[in-house]
């Protein structure tokens, strides 16, 4: 697959296709998510993953639900308030259902809220038909995708302004093309830097237990020609101490109002290490990932996943004794005090984050 064909969420001929990331790098196959039930499962199993990509997929999921409901009930031309009301109730249920697939990345509930809000607003206009609301929802889902696509380019430029040619860069998980509708977030400046001859030397943590760094980041960066070296998660201190890392760049699944940022499990350890070694730690956070309604990281719900992912999923035989107790949180929260700067599509912001985040979101 060529780099330009990596489109994790593809909407074509009124159908939603997902590049199945559970199969990468061995196979690059697209599967259709034809219903919100199939999409729920794809999000849960990480066939589509990465905060912005989940949000984009969920937007289309809401549209598919609306389209199929209106067709099944044969109410396309209906404008009766009672009919519109039950249509909106169906969308509210669809939102709650999709939101339940993964709790941590705010982009999911943000995108479903945008879709629901668009339907509700349109439904308030006298005479609007269910069919017109469906059309509007398709446009809204498309706008969510386009906004994310554009924001990736801005993140790339803003991120690159912090980096210098030849730098050693450490990254964790996958915050790239595979996680967004465009260039990525934290990996966006690395792709752009490659195009501009920056010659970065990137270290990709394997990112246990689901190996997004090994399976996805290494694959994606190699496709764009970036010099990438795969390391195990427990090697990051060594590469930092050796002076091989000039900056750490990571994505984010939800940033609270005080600047605490949830990201893939293991991110906070990197931030603490980076501080110890005097290395800047940059978190890439499109504004769709900023959640001013959550005061601090303490209130962010952290997804817990099956323990078998730790000892069984990638192995031909179990790598732990039968019956072993496990703890498998999918994310951790990096305290704002460890984050040197937050890169958004609107600009780079710095502490105090309780002030600068509100400013960038246009709130006082
Ligand atoms: O469990 P995942 O693979 O969905 O986790 C993804 C991450 O933690 C990413 O770093 C985050 O979503 C930012 S992606 C631009």
């Amino acid at each position: 697959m060529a780099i330009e064909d990596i489109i994790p969420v593809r909407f074509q001929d009124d159908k939603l296709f997902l590049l199945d990331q559970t199969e990468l790098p061995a196979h690059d196959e697209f599967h259709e998510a034809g219903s919100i039930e199939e999409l729920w499962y794809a999000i849960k199993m990480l066939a589509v993953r990465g905060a912005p990509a989940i949000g984009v997929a969920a937007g289309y999921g809401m549209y598919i639900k609306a389209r199929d409901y209106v067709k099944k009930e044969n109410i396309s031309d209906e404008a009766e308030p009672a009919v519109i009301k039950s249509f909106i109730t169906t969308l509210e249920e669809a939102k709650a259902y999709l939101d339940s697939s993964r709790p941590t990345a705010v982009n999911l509930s943000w995108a479903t809220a945008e879709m629901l809000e668009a339907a509700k607003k349109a439904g308030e206009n006298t005479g609007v038909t269910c069919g017109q609301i469906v059309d509007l929802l398709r446009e809204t889902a498309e706008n969510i995708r386009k906004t994310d696509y554009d924001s990736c380019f801005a993140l790339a430029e803003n991120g690159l302004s912090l980096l210098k040619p030849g730098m050693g860069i450490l990254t964790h998980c996958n915050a790239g093309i595979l996680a967004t509708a465009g260039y990525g977030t934290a990996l966006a400046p690395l792709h752009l830097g490659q195009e501009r001859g920056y010659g970065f030397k990137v270290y990709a943590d394997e990112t246990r237990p689901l190996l997004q760094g090994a399976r996805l980041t290494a694959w994606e960066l190699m496709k764009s020609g970036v010099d990438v070296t795969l390391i195990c998660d427990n090697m990051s201190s060594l590469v930092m101490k050796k002076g091989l890392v000039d900056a750490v760049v990571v994505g984010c699944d939800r940033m609270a109002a005080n600047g605490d940022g949830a990201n893939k499990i293991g991110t906070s350890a990197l931030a603490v290490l980076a501080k110890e070694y005097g290395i800047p730690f940059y978190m890439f956070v499109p504004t769709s990932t900023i959640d001013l309604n959550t005061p601090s990281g303490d209130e962010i719900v952290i997804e817990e996943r099956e323990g078998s992912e730790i000892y069984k999923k990638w192995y031909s035989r179990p790598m732990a004794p039968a019956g072993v107790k496990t703890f498998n949180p999918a994310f951790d929260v990096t305290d704002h005090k460890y984050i040197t700067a937050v890169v958004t599509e609107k600009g780079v912001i710095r502490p105090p984050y309780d002030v600068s985040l509100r400013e960038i979101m246009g709130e006082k």
Side-chain angles (χ1 to χ4, degrees):
M1 177 177 273
I3 187 120
E4 57 275 13
D5 296 324
I6 307 177
I7 302 172
V9 181
R10 186 191 289 253
F11 195 70
Q12 212 174 345
D13 303 329
D14 217 33
K15 288 179 182 160
L16 177 62
F17 297 96
L18 305 171
L19 175 58
D20 186 351
Q21 299 192 33
T22 62
E23 293 293 329
L24 288 172
H27 306 285
D28 45 25
E29 288 166 8
F30 286 87
H31 296 299
E32 187 184 350
S35 64
I36 56 167
E37 288 74 21
E38 283 175 8
L39 178 58
W40 188 95
Y41 189 72
I43 295 173
K44 182 80 190 166
M45 300 317 290
L46 276 59
V48 58
R49 35 76 41 211
I54 294 172
V56 171
Y60 287 119
M62 291 287 283
Y63 159 70
I64 287 170
K65 180 70 196 180
R67 180 197 65 194
D68 293 352
Y69 172 80
V70 166
K71 194 168 171 204
K72 185 168 140 263
E73 300 293 317
N74 199 15
I75 52 172
S76 189
D77 297 328
E78 281 283 358
E80 278 296 313
V83 177
I84 301 275
K85 195 164 170 246
S86 9
F87 180 24
I88 298 292
T89 304
T90 299
L91 291 176
E92 280 168 348
E93 287 164 4
K95 171 180 167 41
Y97 174 67
L98 283 171
D99 289 357
S100 73
S101 56
R102 293 192 81 190
T104 305
V106 71
N107 304 60
L108 172 57
S109 55
W110 170 83
T112 53
E114 291 278 304
M115 295 294 288
L116 184 61
E117 214 37 53
K120 278 186 175 167
K121 254 201 178 136
E124 283 162 10
N125 297 323
T126 333
V128 74
T129 65
C130 292
Q132 286 169 329
I133 296 178
V134 169
D135 290 343
L136 175 81
L137 287 178
R138 189 177 48 240
E139 274 167 41
T140 309
E142 192 50 29
N143 278 341
I144 290 172
R145 186 200 62 77
K146 175 87 172 62
T147 304
D148 187 58
Y149 178 84
D150 292 341
S151 113
C152 289
F153 286 109
L155 283 160
E157 289 289 359
N158 294 340
L160 202 59
S161 73
L162 299 167
L163 307 173
K164 292 195 181 65
M167 270 186 162
I169 314 271
L170 178 69
T171 190
H172 191 66
C173 193
N174 173 269
I177 297 172
L178 286 164
T180 62
Y183 237 172
T185 62
L187 298 191
L190 308 187
H191 288 299
L192 186 62
Q194 178 65 15
E195 284 167 28
R196 296 190 182 161
Y198 269 55
F200 293 131
K201 298 214 172 321
V202 179
Y203 291 88
D205 276 350
E206 64 172 349
T207 316
R208 273 185 53 79
L210 292 179
L211 306 177
Q212 288 93 332
R215 295 187 303 108
L216 309 178
T217 294
W219 182 78
E220 169 180 329
L221 290 180
M222 284 174 77
K223 292 240 172 232
S224 76
V226 172
D227 177 339
V228 56
T229 302
L230 178 63
I231 59 170
C232 299
D233 297 333
N234 52 7
M235 297 169 187
S236 46
S237 178
L238 179 138
V239 292
M240 287 191 198
K241 194 170 182 187
K242 271 181 167 294
L244 298 172
V245 178
D246 300 296
V248 179
V249 301
V250 293
C252 182
D253 285 83
R254 186 185 295 249
M255 178 157 276
N258 69 343
D260 291 349
N263 192 50
K264 182 51 55 195
I265 189 73
T267 302
S268 66
L270 293 179
V272 175
L273 284 174
K275 184 153 183 140
E276 175 65 24
Y277 291 118
I279 298 167
F281 181 92
Y282 301 126
M283 198 169 244
F284 284 66
V285 192
T287 50
S288 57
T289 307
I290 296 171
D291 177 11
L292 295 181
N293 294 321
T294 297
S296 78
D298 293 344
E299 289 82 32
I300 297 177
V301 177
I302 299 294
E303 174 186 6
E304 271 187 49
R305 297 184 63 87
E306 283 282 311
S308 58
E309 288 181 348
I310 300 177
Y311 61 84
K312 204 163 149 193
K313 188 167 175 80
W314 307 109
Y315 304 105
S316 54
R317 54 202 165 95
M319 285 295 132
V324 69
K325 279 200 289 180
T326 55
F327 175 47
N328 185 17
F331 300 94
D332 61 22
V333 173
T334 299
D335 193 290
H336 59 276
K337 73 179 178 205
Y338 295 113
I339 303 173
T340 312
V342 169
V343 183
T344 80
E345 75 278 17
K346 295 184 178 170
V348 176
I349 60 172
R350 298 203 180 246
Y353 293 120
D354 52 352
V355 176
S356 53
L357 281 169
R358 283 197 183 278
E359 273 171 12
I360 208 106
M361 296 299 278
E363 288 190 23
K364 289 241 171 85

